[in-house]
Amino acid sequence: MRDTENMEAEMEYDDGEEPSFSDPEDFVDDISDEELLGDVLRDKPQEADGIDSVVVVDNVPQVGPERLEKLKNVIQKIFSKFGKITNEFYPDADGKTKGYIFLEYSAPSHAHEAVKNADGYKLDKQHTFRVNLFTDFDKYMSICDEWEAPEKQPFKDFGNLRHWLEDPDCRDQYSVIYDSGERTGIFANDVKEPIEIEERARWTETYVRWSPKGTYLATFHQRGIALWGGEKFKQIQRFSHQGVQLIDFSPCERYVVTFSPLLDTKDDPQAIIIWDVLTGHKKRGFHCESSAHWPIFKWSPDGKFFARMTLDTLSIYETPSMGLLDKKSLKINGIKDFSWSPGDNIIAFWVPEDKDIPARVTLMQLPSRNEIRVRNLFNVVDCKLHWQKNGDYLCVKVDRTPKGTQGVVTNFEIFRMREKQVPVDVVEMKESIIAFAWEPNGSKFAVLHGEAPRINVSFYHVKNNGKIDLIKMFDKQQANSIFWSPQGQFLVLAGLRSMNGALAFVDTSDCTMMNIAEHYMASDVEWDPTGRYVVTSVSWWSHKVDNAFWLWTFQGRLLQKTNKERFCQLLWRPRPPSLLTQEQIKLIKKDLKKYSKIFEQKDRLSQSKASKELVDKRRSMMEEYRKYRERAVDMYNEQRPLRLELRGGVNTDELDSNVDDWEEETIEKKTSHSLLLTTTALNVGLGIVKKISITIPIP
């Protein structure tokens, strides 16, 4: 039938008559344009009046005509960095601006960027900008008058982020990258052998990094950074930064800084990004031409400020606004280097000589910017800034070329930060300096000086009477690095890489050499946070054979050798500062002998694996018994109402309960050799009988 119709249609067409394509009269079109041409309509130009590119800036200073031009220049300087401003309007009344303005950008994306970055910008003490899109007013006007409860967000439980601090044996953890970077593991340190906590393949693409307090583990990926934590190392946060290569945390762990050489543009700085760790939001982006001196930004010890150095400029920013402190950078001609005090919001920086103007080291208090100490220096070649861990001392290593002499002389300028007017002591050394390091929690410092094969190490003590004493010097040392224990007193002198891994363990309390050892071709030395153990390692990244890490006691006794195929990196997990006060710590140290027996007993039990297994078995049995007893007590308590019901409401749980209901009778029976006493007690209500018999011999 269909074929016949087609033939008839063809015949009609062949006759020269044009076929009809009109719909029948009763045809109903039920297909919308969106369904039929959705992809085309989406690309259709939209009618717009430009208001989506307009922002409204509130809390702007109210000024008269004489200051209007200056205000416009300030506004242009602040807001033009987000995009091209095509129009601006400053409403006025009674000869003054009204305190709000309208800015129109060339594109809506620029307006969104201005709202994102300039809202909350602090212009001065009285004026903090509030920036909104003009289109937001329609949105706010259409808000329903009836309040609706916000949707409840599910709670994300990442577990206890500091669970490792609750380990009953106080084991510290460390991360290990091996198999040429293919595998990453987290281990708990144990004297016998490492205890694996977590191990994953391709956990990171390059290396890992712990946050300053050990809360997070950062891993690197092509698309960005991921943070992990909790007992099972779940992913807590991620930051999208294509091609990220470097990372740095603020000391308070609230912010993280990432660097990538990709995607940086003039209008949208992406080389360096500062992120909020808790929310994962981008706080601010910065340009960066080179990452040779990482970290580019250096943080104050409390995380409230961070600073960077550019040509003749020191820029200090404040959190959480991420804006310049006091809205301007410091102009410091020729500034070469700067460093924050680890204990206070103080910045130290140095400037080289300029013609007749001497070089100088300046200590500046923040946020007041008061210069608390300036030290002039002459004939300076170079300076290095070394802070003691608590910020009690600053050592400025000054390389000088005195007039009339050849060669370089080194002065150590020691600033006593806790004393009035910050007095400075000087230690001069005529030999070349290889390494310098402060004792972390003390007033001693160590210096490696000389040239191979006559390398010497000298130990100095900064005394309270204004003197610096040389307390000991060891000559002919095979060392190029100094590694102090985090707790002070003990250190390791290491000859890394080219010096074949020579190791010397020193106790600086009496300057004795506790042990001399060697880890051939060692490339790294890492102290654990407590200062009890130290690890030496040969990384596959620097040497392709003998890749392993060795664990030593602080006295230099080798405990274990751990070989990992193509081992790359070991990092100890940091510990947060102790919550104990100095008085509590002193009391614990005073009573340490009281606890020593418990520790010695634990040490004896852990001497052999068999005893450890026995202890674990006994602990397991004790735990099973404890759980069984808890179940039995719970069942006993649950059955109490039933017992009362069966016994007529009389409580028989206690042996001496209901003593008034008992009737007692004692019968005395005497024989020629003994006396028999029988006591019978009868509870009339319950029908319970208790009978006690005692036989007493008669002499």
Side-chain angles (χ1 to χ4, degrees):
M1 181 65 181
R2 185 174 298 173
D3 293 339
T4 304
E5 292 176 352
N6 291 339
M7 288 175 63
E8 291 177 357
E10 290 176 5
M11 289 173 63
E12 290 177 1
Y13 186 74
D14 291 341
D15 291 342
E17 295 182 8
E18 185 177 346
S20 175
F21 295 99
S22 300
D23 294 326
E25 293 182 1
D26 57 347
F27 176 77
V28 178
D29 187 359
D30 58 353
I31 301 177
S32 66
D33 291 342
E34 184 65 32
E35 292 179 90
L36 192 62
L37 301 170
D39 53 342
V40 178
L41 292 174
R42 276 192 291 272
D43 296 333
K44 178 183 176 182
Q46 301 292 321
E47 182 180 353
D49 53 9
I51 63 171
D52 51 353
S53 299
V54 178
V55 298
V56 184
V57 184
D58 203 0
N59 293 337
V60 177
Q62 295 177 309
V63 298
E66 69 281 358
R67 297 181 59 195
L68 180 59
E69 194 62 32
K70 183 177 180 181
L71 176 63
K72 288 184 176 181
N73 291 335
V74 172
I75 294 296
Q76 279 284 343
K77 184 177 180 181
I78 295 172
F79 287 90
S80 61
K81 58 187 175 184
F82 307 120
K84 183 180 178 181
I85 299 175
T86 59
N87 196 9
E88 58 184 4
F89 178 57
Y90 290 72
D92 58 4
D94 301 327
K96 280 190 175 184
T97 58
K98 289 187 174 182
Y100 60 89
I101 62 173
F102 299 87
L103 301 176
E104 182 179 358
Y105 284 93
S106 59
S109 59
H110 299 160
H112 283 275
E113 194 68 19
V115 172
K116 182 178 179 182
N117 292 284
D119 186 38
Y121 183 90
K122 189 176 181 181
L123 183 66
D124 53 40
K125 292 182 179 180
Q126 286 80 29
H127 300 91
T128 300
F129 290 158
R130 299 315 309 262
V131 186
N132 292 282
L133 292 171
F134 189 82
T135 52
D136 285 346
F137 285 90
D138 291 335
K139 180 177 69 175
Y140 297 139
M141 290 295 292
S142 61
I143 294 177
C144 181
D145 293 336
E146 295 183 5
W147 180 79
E148 294 182 5
E151 183 180 353
K152 188 176 182 180
Q153 298 296 322
F155 173 69
K156 294 181 180 179
D157 185 8
F158 299 113
N160 183 2
L161 296 181
R162 294 191 173 179
H163 71 285
W164 86 98
L165 300 176
E166 299 176 354
D167 185 274
D169 294 319
C170 301
R171 298 186 185 94
D172 280 289
Q173 294 182 359
Y174 53 81
S175 64
V176 175
I177 298 178
Y178 60 100
D179 198 9
S180 64
E182 287 294 310
R183 306 197 72 82
T184 303
I186 310 296
F187 297 87
N189 181 39
D190 190 78
V191 176
K192 291 299 177 183
E193 58 183 358
I195 302 171
E196 184 178 290
I197 303 297
E198 191 76 22
E199 196 269 347
R200 298 176 190 176
R202 293 178 293 278
W203 199 350
T204 183
E205 295 180 16
T206 52
Y207 61 100
V208 300
R209 173 83 182 269
W210 292 104
S211 60
K213 298 179 181 179
T215 308
Y216 308 107
L217 177 71
T219 57
F220 288 73
H221 310 274
Q222 181 60 30
R223 295 185 178 181
I225 296 292
L227 297 187
W228 311 79
E231 296 182 28
K232 299 298 181 182
F233 285 93
K234 298 177 182 178
Q235 187 179 106
I236 294 176
Q237 199 58 266
R238 59 183 178 181
F239 311 99
S240 179
H241 198 182
Q242 190 76 17
V244 63
Q245 294 181 355
L246 299 169
I247 187 177
D248 186 41
F249 284 90
S250 65
C252 58
E253 295 187 338
R254 179 64 192 270
Y255 305 102
V256 62
V257 186
T258 58
F259 166 79
S260 171
L262 309 177
L263 303 176
D264 196 21
T265 61
K266 183 178 180 180
D267 295 333
D268 187 17
Q270 295 275 359
I272 296 178
I273 298 178
I274 300 181
W275 308 86
D276 188 308
V277 170
L278 298 179
T279 64
H281 294 159
K282 174 184 173 181
K283 299 295 291 184
R284 185 170 176 181
F286 294 88
H287 294 294
C288 180
E289 297 178 357
S290 172
S291 62
H293 301 286
W294 187 260
I296 302 296
F297 290 103
K298 298 178 183 179
W299 291 87
S300 65
D302 57 6
K304 291 183 178 179
F305 305 98
F306 59 98
R308 74 180 298 183
M309 182 184 69
T310 52
L311 182 64
D312 298 333
T313 304
L314 181 62
S315 301
I316 304 169
Y317 301 84
E318 57 183 345
T319 61
S321 68
M322 303 297 163
L324 279 170
L325 180 65
D326 296 334
K327 310 308 171 193
K328 58 183 178 180
S329 298
L330 290 170
K331 189 71 174 177
I332 306 173
N333 292 328
I335 182 172
K336 284 289 186 180
D337 193 17
F338 78 97
S339 181
W340 287 93
S341 163
D344 306 279
N345 287 339
I346 296 174
I347 275 186
F349 63 87
W350 81 278
V351 177
E353 294 178 76
D354 183 16
K355 298 179 181 178
D356 296 333
I357 302 175
R360 70 183 189 276
V361 175
T362 304
L363 299 177
M364 179 180 290
Q365 183 85 45
L366 289 168
S368 64
R369 302 194 182 191
N370 293 331
E371 294 184 356
I372 59 176
R373 187 69 160 90
V374 177
R375 175 79 168 175
N376 292 328
L377 305 169
F378 299 91
N379 306 315
V380 174
V381 177
D382 192 22
C383 286
K384 298 292 182 198
L385 306 173
H386 301 276
W387 284 97
Q388 189 251 12
K389 181 183 175 182
N390 299 325
D392 296 336
Y393 305 99
L394 168 65
C395 172
V396 181
K397 174 181 167 287
V398 184
D399 295 330
R400 301 170 54 246
T401 53
K403 291 182 179 180
T405 62
Q406 292 182 346
V408 176
V409 174
T410 299
N411 284 1
F412 293 109
E413 309 268 340
I414 309 297
F415 291 70
R416 299 172 181 264
M417 300 299 299
R418 305 303 180 196
E419 298 182 25
K420 289 183 178 180
Q421 298 180 343
V422 191
V424 180
D425 301 311
V426 180
V427 176
E428 181 176 308
M429 303 194 76
K430 296 183 178 180
E431 294 182 304
S432 60
I433 305 301
I434 299 170
F436 172 95
W438 280 104
E439 180 184 20
N441 293 320
S443 55
K444 295 192 286 287
F445 62 88
V447 184
L448 277 173
H449 52 93
E451 295 181 0
R454 296 186 61 85
I455 295 177
N456 305 321
V457 58
S458 297
F459 297 97
Y460 291 86
H461 184 205
V462 182
K463 293 192 172 181
N464 294 328
N465 59 6
K467 293 183 179 180
I468 299 178
D469 290 346
L470 173 64
I471 53 178
K472 187 71 175 180
M473 186 181 77
F474 294 110
D475 58 358
K476 296 181 180 180
Q477 297 297 308
Q478 283 187 294
N480 54 19
S481 303
I482 303 170
F483 297 95
W484 281 94
S485 161
Q487 304 303 321
Q489 183 176 343
F490 305 101
L491 63 77
V492 174
L493 301 173
L496 301 179
R497 296 179 175 85
S498 60
M499 288 191 172
N500 297 331
L503 304 170
F505 296 81
V506 182
D507 181 356
T508 61
S509 63
D510 53 5
C511 288
T512 56
M513 197 77 72
M514 296 182 293
N515 190 27
I516 297 176
E518 181 184 84
H519 185 177
Y520 183 68
M521 294 307 295
S523 57
D524 300 283
V525 176
E526 294 280 347
W527 280 94
D528 87 314
T530 65
R532 294 179 296 172
Y533 304 101
V534 62
V535 164
T536 58
S537 59
V538 181
S539 172
W540 183 79
W541 290 336
S542 60
H543 196 65
K544 300 303 180 185
V545 295
D546 299 329
N547 304 128
F549 61 90
W550 295 2
L551 181 70
W552 310 75
T553 66
F554 67 93
Q555 300 149 317
R557 180 166 59 90
L558 182 61
L559 296 177
Q560 57 184 248
K561 298 180 180 180
T562 305
N563 296 315
K564 288 285 186 183
E565 188 71 19
R566 297 191 295 278
F567 162 82
C568 298
Q569 180 198 51
L570 182 145
L571 289 177
W572 288 97
R573 187 172 193 174
R575 282 178 171 262
S578 174
L579 299 177
L580 299 176
T581 63
Q582 289 299 321
E583 289 73 16
Q584 290 172 321
I585 293 174
K586 287 180 180 179
L587 184 62
I588 291 173
K589 289 181 178 179
K590 182 181 178 181
D591 297 338
L592 197 59
K593 291 183 179 180
K594 184 170 64 176
Y595 310 115
S596 62
K597 292 182 179 180
I598 302 173
F599 298 145
E600 289 171 2
Q601 183 181 7
K602 284 190 174 183
D603 290 340
R604 284 195 298 270
L605 290 174
S606 63
Q607 290 301 315
S608 66
K609 194 172 182 179
S611 64
K612 183 178 181 301
E613 290 176 353
L614 179 61
V615 170
D616 290 342
K617 184 179 179 181
R618 288 177 177 174
R619 285 178 178 170
S620 177
M621 293 173 65
M622 189 66 188
E623 183 66 18
E624 289 179 5
Y625 167 73
R626 186 184 64 80
K627 291 180 179 178
Y628 166 76
R629 190 177 184 281
E630 288 179 356
R631 291 196 302 270
V633 170
D634 291 341
M635 183 184 297
Y636 181 79
N637 292 332
E638 290 174 1
Q639 293 176 347
R640 185 169 183 270
L642 182 60
R643 290 195 300 275
L644 289 172
E645 181 182 350
L646 292 173
R647 295 171 184 175
V650 179
N651 182 12
T652 60
D653 289 353
E654 301 294 335
L655 181 65
D656 296 330
S657 62
N658 303 295
V659 292
D660 296 337
D661 297 334
W662 290 89
E663 295 180 2
E664 186 175 304
E665 180 182 2
T666 302
I667 300 174
E668 193 176 300
K669 184 178 180 181
K670 186 175 182 182
T671 64
S672 57
H673 301 289
S674 63
L675 177 65
L676 177 63
L677 296 177
T678 302
T679 300
T680 303
L682 171 64
N683 190 308
V684 180
L686 298 176
I688 299 176
V689 178
K690 294 182 180 180
K691 184 176 181 181
I692 301 175
S693 299
I694 301 175
T695 302
I696 303 174
I698 297 176

